[in-house]
Every structure is written in C-alpha cells, then in structure tokens.
Amino acid sequence: MNYKNDLRIAWLFPSIVLGNYWHPILCNFTKIFKNTVVYTGEWPGFTEGYENSFNVELVGKTKRIQTSQSSKGYSPGFDYLSPAILNRLFRFRPQIIFTLAYSLWSFIAMLLKPIFGWKIVIYYEGSAPTVDACNSTFRILWRQMITRFADAFVTNNQRGKYYLTNTLKAKKELVVVKPIEVPDMKAMTALPANIESTQLKLQRPIFIFVGQVIHRKGIQLLLEACLLLQAQNYRDYTLLIVGDGPQRDELQVLTNQSGLQNCVQWLGWMEYGVLSAYFQMADVFVFPTLEDTWGMVVLEAMAFSKPILCSKWAGASEMVVEGENGYIFDPHNPENLAKLMKNFIDNPTLINAMGSKSKQLISQYTPETSANFLSEVIDVVLS
C-alpha cells in the first residue's frame, strides 16, 4: 500500500462543469492515491459535502470552439486548452496520467511520454456519432496516433470499447469496460429542498426528465408523445421537467399552446444537491436524448429506485434490462414512447417492481467501486 501513497497521479480534465458526479469518485480515488492532482481548464467549485476532498489546479481557461451546429446531437467543435499544462506536468512529474478522451492535453502528454516515462490511461466516456468524429479523417488519424502510445483505456460501455478497438485500433486487451461515472446519494442529498407547493398539483404517475433543455436531449419529442396521450384521453399523469437551457421558453410556449399545461410542469434548473427530492417524488424516469455518450442521470434515477424509459441513443441504455427495470425506445418514434408511458399509467404496479430492479442493478456501482477499479487498472499498467 505504501507505493500507492507515494505514486504521483495526474487527471487531465478539460472541464468539470456539470460534472458534479466526478467529485465523489475523485474523492475516493484520492483516499487510495494521496498524491493525486486534478488539472482542469473549467472548475465550478466543489460539490456540497466534498469540499477540498481532492487537489484541483486550474490551468488557463478552456474555450469551446464550435465548427458547426448539429440538429441531432452534440455540436461539432474542439476545446482550446492552455499550453501551460506543460509547465504543470514538468513540475509535478506524474507517474500515471489519466486523460479524458483526445484533447490537446492528451496529445501533449503523449509527446512528453518518452522523456518522462509516465504511463497514460485514456478515459473515453462512451461512443456517439458526433463525438466519434468518424466523418473527419484528420481527427481519426489524430486519435489513432494518441491511441498508439496509450497504456490502457477505460470506457463506461461496450459502444465505447467497439469504437476504441475497431475505429481507433486500440488493442482489445488494453481496453477495459466498466461504468465509472456512477451516482452518489450523498452528493444529491446535500442541500434541503422545499417542494411542498408543487406536490399539491401533481397527478400520478409522475414521469420526470432531468437535464439540459437543449435540442439534443429530445424533449420536444417527449412532448409529442404527451400530445399523443392527450389525443387518447390520457391526462391523469404528470411530467416534471427539471433543468434549463435555450430551448426552454420555446417548449414552454408549445406546452401551453397544446393544452399540456395541466400535465407538464417546468421546474427549471436545480442545484445538484437537491435533485434527490425530485427523484424521490417521481415514479418513472424518461430520457429521450438524441445522442449521449453516457447519460449519468439514468444511473442517478436508478439509484432512487425508478423504472427507466431510455433512448436507444444513450450510452447508459446498456444499464437498462428490457422489461425488467425499464424499456429502451427510439425517441424519433413518439408513438412508441407514448405506448410505454401509457403502460405505466395503466399498470401502476409495474413502477415498484421495476424500480426495485433498478436499485438492485445499480447497487454494485458506487464511487468506491469506481475508485477501486481504477486502482486495479493502475496495478495492471504498472506491472
């Protein structure tokens, strides 16, 4: 165990904005490897309950440069990252570097590897068409070059492994698959929440969506499913939309104009530490995303014993066992989503049974197990 206390480990995060779920993981990781430093270009501050639980150094400022707009998924582009990371790594001289995906910092770590002899572990959250950049020969060649010098790869799901091995030509024996981004109940219950006023207006079952209100999340298609339910005279349910974003005003107007205001409630953005109150209030979680490399919120809903209606385009759909803890659907087919929602309205006994299965499935994945698994990866890399 002594070598773990002395081992110098660097994490390279271009940004940790909207990454509150990483804090419990990094906290537990630092308990094992005391000499860990997290370098990032965007830092929103510690999640409640995890203040100063790991070392963070802000390096310059990450700037997102979009090269075009996408009507279906992530907007293509790249992150401008500060070259000052060179000096930080030179001073710290880590023995292990965990780098997220294929950023400029990953490239710099690769260039310096022959000089400093550190080991590089690439963390690839998951595969998605826009993020994989398969339509860009330059970016694929760039990633293949970095891949060639990496010592190991960690990804949340099988889609990520397929991309790493088939497209980027990583050696299969170097790629490990395990859900690393996992929920932490403590982080989501850190703040008090006053929701008594909304409780009075809710009809069950209560469906809930949590996330950014942007086109990629597919909320408009979810509302289309609600319109189909309305046409079939299904109005005794509630859809809670927790989140904010540039599409919110437009979709709220659509909600009111379509007569859905009695079924759909827009709650706005919530602090991460109060999300538990809304998950506990709800009955079924709905995730209609058009593209997500993972979809951490799916696992968070499972931790609160919720059945899952999950888009097939979310990496976290691999966490759904069809017919046992939920269903997988194509958000481009609102008719099917309406049918699945109707199934819970007509058969409310499914909610507890499927919710219990969600809790059972997610119980094996915790920030502690993630940190221990990453420790095992380091053992293998060093050996």
Side-chain angles (χ1 to χ4, degrees):
M1 287 297 292
N2 289 335
Y3 90 92
K4 293 187 176 182
N5 287 333
D6 298 331
L7 199 63
R8 297 184 302 278
I9 300 178
W11 281 83
L12 307 185
F13 278 87
S15 172
I16 317 185
V17 173
L18 300 179
N20 303 72
Y21 47 83
W22 269 107
H23 299 196
I25 300 165
L26 293 169
C27 171
N28 282 277
F29 184 87
T30 303
K31 289 177 181 178
I32 303 172
F33 301 97
K34 310 295 184 186
N35 206 1
T36 295
V37 178
V38 176
Y39 298 99
T40 183
E42 282 189 297
W43 174 243
F46 284 98
T47 298
E48 292 283 340
Y50 287 93
E51 292 82 357
N52 302 312
S53 58
F54 53 91
N55 296 319
V56 180
E57 289 193 21
L58 192 62
V59 184
K61 186 176 182 181
T62 297
K63 295 180 181 178
R64 181 67 179 170
I65 300 173
Q66 293 186 355
T67 55
S68 62
Q69 294 290 330
S70 173
S71 60
K72 294 183 179 180
Y74 296 92
S75 294
F78 60 92
D79 291 327
Y80 170 79
L81 301 172
S82 172
I85 192 68
L86 274 163
N87 182 50
R88 303 297 182 91
L89 293 177
F90 179 78
R91 285 188 297 161
F92 184 47
R93 302 210 177 191
Q95 290 137 300
I96 301 285
I97 292 179
F98 282 88
T99 182
L100 270 67
Y102 291 90
S103 69
L104 174 62
W105 284 356
S106 301
F107 181 70
I108 289 173
M110 180 204 71
L111 286 179
L112 296 179
K113 181 181 178 182
I115 300 173
F116 295 104
W118 49 48
K119 303 290 186 180
I120 297 176
V121 180
I122 292 178
Y123 177 78
Y124 198 72
E125 185 176 68
S127 174
T130 309
V131 174
D132 291 345
C134 290
N135 60 346
S136 171
T137 302
F138 171 77
R139 295 184 76 171
I140 292 298
L141 290 174
W142 164 282
R143 294 178 180 190
Q144 287 177 342
M145 178 174 56
I146 297 174
T147 295
R148 193 175 302 125
F149 290 90
D151 298 283
F153 305 83
V154 178
T155 184
N156 284 299
N157 53 32
Q158 293 297 330
R159 294 183 194 177
K161 180 177 182 178
Y162 183 86
Y163 173 73
L164 289 167
T165 56
N166 286 61
T167 303
L168 302 187
K169 309 304 179 185
K171 295 179 180 179
K172 290 183 179 180
E173 62 270 20
L174 298 182
V175 181
V176 289
V177 180
K178 187 179 178 69
I180 297 298
E181 295 177 23
V182 296
D184 177 67
M185 306 290 278
K186 173 185 171 183
M188 289 188 288
T189 57
L191 297 172
N194 181 12
I195 54 176
E196 294 181 3
S197 60
T198 55
Q199 282 179 321
L200 299 175
K201 304 175 184 178
L202 305 182
Q203 301 181 86
R204 293 193 180 274
I206 300 170
F207 298 90
I208 186 171
F209 165 87
V210 178
Q212 298 178 76
V213 185
I214 55 178
H215 190 276
R216 177 170 61 85
K217 294 299 183 178
I219 303 170
Q220 183 164 349
L221 295 170
L222 173 55
L223 294 178
E224 288 184 25
C226 292
L227 283 172
L228 291 170
L229 288 174
Q230 181 175 261
Q232 299 172 53
N233 206 30
Y234 279 83
R235 295 181 173 85
D236 296 331
Y237 71 93
T238 302
L239 169 62
L240 299 180
I241 300 178
V242 179
D244 206 351
Q247 231 194 349
R248 179 179 171 183
D249 289 344
E250 169 195 344
L251 294 183
Q252 275 197 261
V253 170
L254 174 64
T255 299
N256 295 332
Q257 290 178 344
S258 304
L260 291 174
Q261 63 270 27
N262 292 329
C263 296
V264 180
Q265 293 199 18
W266 296 81
L267 302 185
W269 182 82
M270 299 291 171
E271 290 276 1
Y272 192 74
V274 305
L275 287 180
S276 65
Y278 296 92
F279 278 122
Q280 289 169 349
M281 185 199 315
D283 296 306
V284 181
F285 179 72
V286 189
F287 194 52
T289 184
L290 305 180
E291 185 179 52
D292 253 283
T293 52
W294 187 223
M296 176 64 186
V297 70
V298 172
L299 286 76
E300 291 167 345
M302 290 175 64
F304 285 99
S305 303
K306 303 306 165 188
I308 307 297
L309 292 177
C310 186
S311 163
K312 63 185 287 188
W313 305 114
S317 63
E318 293 183 13
M319 300 297 294
V320 178
V321 181
E322 186 78 19
E324 293 191 23
N325 74 312
Y327 301 97
I328 299 170
F329 65 91
D330 186 343
H332 297 289
N333 183 357
E335 291 84 1
N336 182 236
L337 176 54
K339 180 180 178 181
L340 294 173
M341 293 174 70
K342 186 166 61 173
N343 192 34
F344 284 108
I345 297 172
D346 291 337
N347 304 285
T349 56
L350 288 175
I351 294 171
N352 287 337
M354 287 191 166
S356 296
K357 186 63 177 179
S358 280
K359 183 73 171 180
Q360 177 189 339
L361 290 171
I362 200 62
S363 62
Q364 60 186 304
Y365 303 109
T366 66
E368 292 84 1
T369 61
S370 293
N372 290 332
F373 177 74
L374 294 170
S375 176
E376 293 171 8
V377 171
I378 290 173
D379 289 338
V380 172
V381 167
L382 290 179
S383 66

